[in-house]
Amino acid sequence: MADTAAPRQLDGHLLSLAGLSADTLRSLLTDAREFADATEPPPSLAGRTVALLFLEDSTRTRSSFRLAAERLGARAVDLTGVGSSVSKGESLIDTARTIEAMGIDAMAVRTKEACGPAVVAEGSACPVINAGDGRHEHPTQGLLDALTLARALGRDRDFDLTGLRIAVVGDLGASRVFRSDVSIFTALGAEVIAVGPTALAPGSLERLGCRVERDLDAVIPEIDAVQMLRVQFERHGGTAIASRRQYRGRFGLTRERGRAMKDGAVVMHPGPMNRGLEIDHEVAEGGPDLPRPLILEQVTNGVFVRMAVLNTLVNGPLVANTKPAGTANLAP
């Protein structure tokens, strides 16, 4: 069952998309669209410093946050788990307080454990952004997925996804991307269909507000978009699936399944991809009779979304005065 709690606004941090109001999400997406369309983004964070506290490996997200900060005129400071005080036994909150005492204006935090960024935020006066925490959430990934989908399908004027059916396929129980995607897609009006074997996509996921299915071939013809997720072998001790061949046969986005998707449908993947397992090379690259892949557009839009989040949390919404009447402003 979906969460029926009253929609909330940002509280100075971005730790989760779950429960955020549609107006709050649309404001962030509108700002991201403005940054994407700008010839030269304003240096709104000139003289500021953004810390990137990544205690779990990352390439796309860390690099994207760095570029976002630098394009806004800020200085980005990379901090990793290897050789850090955390690796020497210091608590996460003490490390974060030490970093903040150096004059940090915002902090992006990634941890292997769920709710690590929330622990940092509890003891931090500067804005904290969840850059991925265990199996919990990945809020900026959800935002960039929504931005990419809306732009590709011509829904980026008002970011209303009503009527769209979006399948998310794969290792959903272990996926923080899935949880953030469900939150934002459903908040913006779309229907989300979760597809995967019982071991990776338990029926209990329906309480997040999605529909759970086991037959990808039955779902493929009805969807407007599919987000393929990799099998996270590192979180399962190597026992996630019985065999790669069997998994690809039932849940892989093969060329044949790609051709069965309806006209105008699109393909997404947050990366990194296991080509030949959850997605075939031809589908990832696109081609005649195959749906349009948005995978590289997701990477590009990640920078604009993170620019919007950093600017909003430090300075306030970019286009707060241009949104339709009745749209709530974000609290900086």
Side-chain angles (χ1 to χ4, degrees):
M1 181 180 296
D3 186 0
T4 58
R8 61 186 178 85
Q9 308 245 330
L10 295 183
D11 57 1
H13 309 289
L14 180 62
L15 304 175
S16 169
L17 297 185
L20 282 179
S21 71
D23 285 344
T24 297
L25 295 167
R26 288 188 176 110
S27 181
L28 287 168
L29 292 170
T30 299
D31 281 6
R33 183 194 65 202
E34 294 297 312
F35 281 124
D37 292 341
T39 303
E40 188 72 28
S44 61
L45 296 185
R48 308 276 192 158
T49 302
V50 176
L52 309 179
L53 179 58
F54 277 64
L55 304 178
E56 184 180 46
D57 291 341
S58 169
T59 299
R60 291 166 181 78
T61 303
R62 186 178 66 238
S63 299
S64 182
F65 267 110
R66 167 175 280 280
L67 285 170
E70 291 176 347
R71 288 187 186 181
L72 293 175
R75 186 166 72 103
V77 179
D78 275 310
L79 304 163
T80 63
V82 179
S84 71
S85 294
V86 172
S87 70
K88 300 173 185 176
E90 184 176 68
S91 72
L92 180 59
I93 189 60
D94 282 339
T95 296
R97 283 174 173 166
T98 300
I99 295 167
E100 186 180 16
M102 298 177 186
I104 299 300
D105 297 285
M107 196 182 312
V109 180
R110 169 171 284 200
T111 62
K112 292 181 180 180
E113 299 78 23
C115 299
V119 171
V120 173
E122 285 180 3
S124 176
C126 77
V128 174
I129 303 163
N130 179 0
D133 61 332
R135 302 185 183 197
H136 176 225
E137 272 216 48
H138 195 347
T140 55
Q141 181 70 48
L143 284 161
L144 74 87
D145 289 339
L147 176 65
T148 303
L149 181 62
R151 301 207 87 178
L153 299 184
R155 301 288 189 106
D156 59 330
R157 181 178 178 274
D158 54 8
F159 295 101
D160 185 353
L161 304 185
T162 301
L164 295 182
R165 285 180 173 172
I166 306 167
V168 187
V169 183
D171 190 356
L172 308 184
S175 175
R176 54 196 174 206
V177 173
F178 169 69
R179 285 165 175 77
S180 290
D181 276 353
V182 171
S183 292
I184 192 165
F185 289 152
T186 56
L188 298 179
E191 176 188 358
V192 176
I193 306 168
V195 186
T198 303
L200 302 183
S204 59
L205 295 177
E206 289 188 345
R207 69 174 182 265
L208 299 176
C210 61
R211 174 179 127 208
V212 177
E213 297 287 351
R214 307 292 174 206
D215 187 347
L216 180 57
D217 290 310
V219 169
I220 280 290
E222 69 176 282
I223 57 174
D224 300 283
V226 60
Q227 169 93 303
M228 301 303 299
L229 301 180
R230 72 182 179 91
V231 178
Q232 299 187 49
F233 292 102
E234 72 277 12
R235 297 189 190 276
H236 297 287
T239 60
I241 55 177
S243 77
R244 289 173 176 260
R245 181 176 180 179
Q246 182 186 65
Y247 182 86
R248 178 181 178 275
R250 292 187 60 198
F251 300 105
L253 190 57
T254 61
R255 178 168 35 183
E256 293 72 26
R257 289 191 174 110
R259 286 176 173 164
M261 293 177 70
K262 62 184 180 181
D263 290 344
V266 295
V267 172
M268 304 171 70
H269 196 305
M273 290 183 284
N274 291 315
R275 293 182 187 237
L277 180 57
E278 76 267 8
I279 188 169
D280 280 5
H281 174 80
E282 297 89 341
V283 182
E285 296 299 318
D289 302 323
L290 289 172
R292 174 184 170 188
L294 303 179
I295 297 165
L296 292 180
E297 292 173 46
Q298 289 172 269
V299 177
T300 299
N301 285 328
V303 177
F304 303 128
V305 157
R306 286 154 186 145
M307 290 171 70
V309 170
L310 285 168
N311 183 75
T312 294
L313 291 177
V314 175
N315 295 322
L318 183 69
V319 290
N321 296 323
T322 63
K323 295 192 295 295
T327 301
N329 289 337
L330 298 182

